Amino acid sequence: MEKKAKLTFLGTGTSSGIPMIACDCEVCRSADPRDKRMRASVLVEYGGLTILVDAGPDFRAQMLQHDVHHLDAILLTHNHKDHTGGLDDIRAFNLAELHPVNIWCEPYVETTLRREYGYAFAEEKYPGAPEWRVHLIDPALPITVHSNAGEEVLSWEHGFGYHHLPPHPAPDSSVEVIPIRGWHHREKKTSVLGYRFGNIAYLTDIKMLDSEAEYEKLKGVEYVTLGCVKIGDHHSHPSLQETLDFFERVGARESYITHLSHQLPRHEDFAAMLPPHVHPAWDGLVIGG
Ligand SMILES: [Zn+2]
Ligand SMILES: [Zn+2]
Ligand SMILES: [Zn+2]
């Protein structure tokens, strides 16, 4: 039987978050806590593993708010800063868990990480720089995500940094995650991956799926998400109509809109506009489980 996943929305906002700096619009000034949106990220519990999708600039605040003490892996959707800008803070997990953090991403995303976090890839590292292990994704194949218990052990020495020791012979568990290939732009520019965890598929920043084969990968999901930033047409995100068409085609039991911007109505008004099985997500919402 297919494994069931539980997904917690840690952030449901677009790249600027809501409220946006220096904006006095009614969405940014709303008193409804569901209108406060951190940058898009979800925490998925699946097959005994704790998997984070994206680590944007609000990563630290999100980990603290949800009291997360353990991560097995981080899956990155694409290389935009609102999805990768918080990765330096994995240092806290290195210290707490004494393992490198496993990151899965496409090769072009790793190239960006090597440029933007050069110090974490250096031969001779500054003591305490992030310790991570990057695993590359082939979007055509399922990803085997394994627990971090099977990774090498870190041992901290003041003035030196981390020593890397062989892994404990711990029972290593793993799950299969299906990457869903999409594009940020209609002209097939900037590859973005969505991820299917059994009965739940998380997609954001996808203007269009790569091909029919990607829709096949979504067959039978109970819950699905898609990012949408405004009602009308947008160059790199689906319009509301495109989002609703996608949800209808996938045919999940419940569908959730994430990556919302202040150009959409306030949460309550937006929810009232949507069909019965389509909902705006909000920070803290839990689905599945
Ligand atoms: Zn984004
Ligand atoms: Zn605003
Ligand atoms: Zn993006």
Side-chain angles (χ1 to χ4, degrees):
M1 212 183 90
E2 188 176 65
K3 287 193 188 79
K4 300 272 185 196
K6 176 178 154 191
L7 180 151
T8 305
F9 288 94
L10 305 181
T12 58
T14 191
S15 58
S16 52
I18 301 178
M20 194 171 112
I21 294 171
C23 186
D24 293 325
C25 80
E26 65 160 7
V27 177
C28 290
R29 304 207 65 155
S30 165
D32 185 339
R34 293 169 303 178
D35 284 316
K36 313 272 182 234
R37 301 184 187 276
M38 290 201 261
R39 266 60 70 89
S41 172
V42 293
L43 192 70
V44 180
E45 285 154 65
Y46 185 49
L49 269 59
T50 304
I51 302 169
L52 181 78
V53 182
D54 290 334
D58 297 316
F59 171 68
R60 175 178 172 274
Q62 290 163 335
M63 293 301 101
L64 291 172
Q65 192 160 349
H66 293 268
D67 203 19
V68 179
H69 279 59
H70 166 72
L71 281 185
D72 285 298
I74 300 176
L75 308 186
L76 299 176
T77 56
H78 63 304
N79 68 349
H80 286 169
K81 211 66 164 188
D82 55 321
H83 301 259
T84 61
L87 281 171
D88 183 74
D89 281 312
I90 65 122
R91 291 178 296 116
F93 285 104
N94 293 148
L95 209 52
E97 301 208 70
L98 295 174
H99 287 291
V101 171
N102 288 305
I103 296 176
W104 268 266
C105 63
E106 286 194 85
Y108 91 91
V109 178
E110 193 206 14
T111 303
T112 305
L113 298 184
R114 282 182 178 276
R115 190 174 63 239
E116 297 186 351
Y117 294 97
Y119 57 94
F121 291 91
E123 268 307 304
E124 296 219 356
K125 276 191 189 179
Y126 182 84
E131 294 284 346
W132 53 45
R133 179 145 349 284
V134 178
H135 306 264
L136 298 180
I137 297 173
D138 176 347
L141 300 173
I143 313 161
T144 304
V145 175
H146 58 83
S147 79
N148 76 353
E151 280 298 335
E152 61 185 358
V153 174
L154 302 175
S155 157
W156 175 256
E157 183 189 326
H158 281 288
F160 171 80
Y162 286 110
H163 295 283
H164 292 242
L165 308 175
H168 295 307
D172 195 11
S173 52
S174 63
V175 288
E176 220 171 69
V177 178
I178 312 288
I180 316 289
R181 184 97 193 268
W183 297 96
H184 221 318
H185 304 263
R186 215 178 254 121
E187 311 77 44
K188 293 202 169 181
K189 277 196 295 189
T190 310
S191 172
V192 184
L193 296 181
Y195 297 105
R196 178 172 182 171
F197 306 89
N199 59 331
I200 302 181
Y202 176 74
L203 288 80
T204 186
D205 294 59
I206 288 179
K207 177 80 172 167
M208 57 181 283
L209 289 189
D210 182 58
S211 68
E212 289 301 307
E214 305 307 304
Y215 281 98
E216 285 297 308
K217 294 180 185 174
L218 292 169
K219 252 196 176 148
V221 289
E222 288 185 90
Y223 305 94
V224 67
T225 76
L226 192 66
C228 175
V229 301
K230 60 184 279 206
I231 289 173
D233 195 44
H234 189 282
H235 68 283
S236 61
H237 293 276
S239 66
L240 180 59
Q241 192 55 53
E242 288 167 335
T243 304
L244 297 177
D245 291 346
F246 169 81
F247 287 152
E248 181 151 342
R249 176 143 185 217
V250 171
R253 194 169 78 191
E254 305 291 340
S255 302
Y256 295 87
I257 298 174
T258 188
H259 209 282
L260 291 86
S261 86
H262 69 160
Q263 296 181 78
L264 288 163
R266 294 185 325 117
H267 184 96
E268 200 176 357
D269 301 333
F270 190 36
M273 284 170 57
L274 297 172
H277 300 293
V278 179
H279 321 277
W282 42 273
D283 292 18
L285 173 67
V286 179
I287 58 175

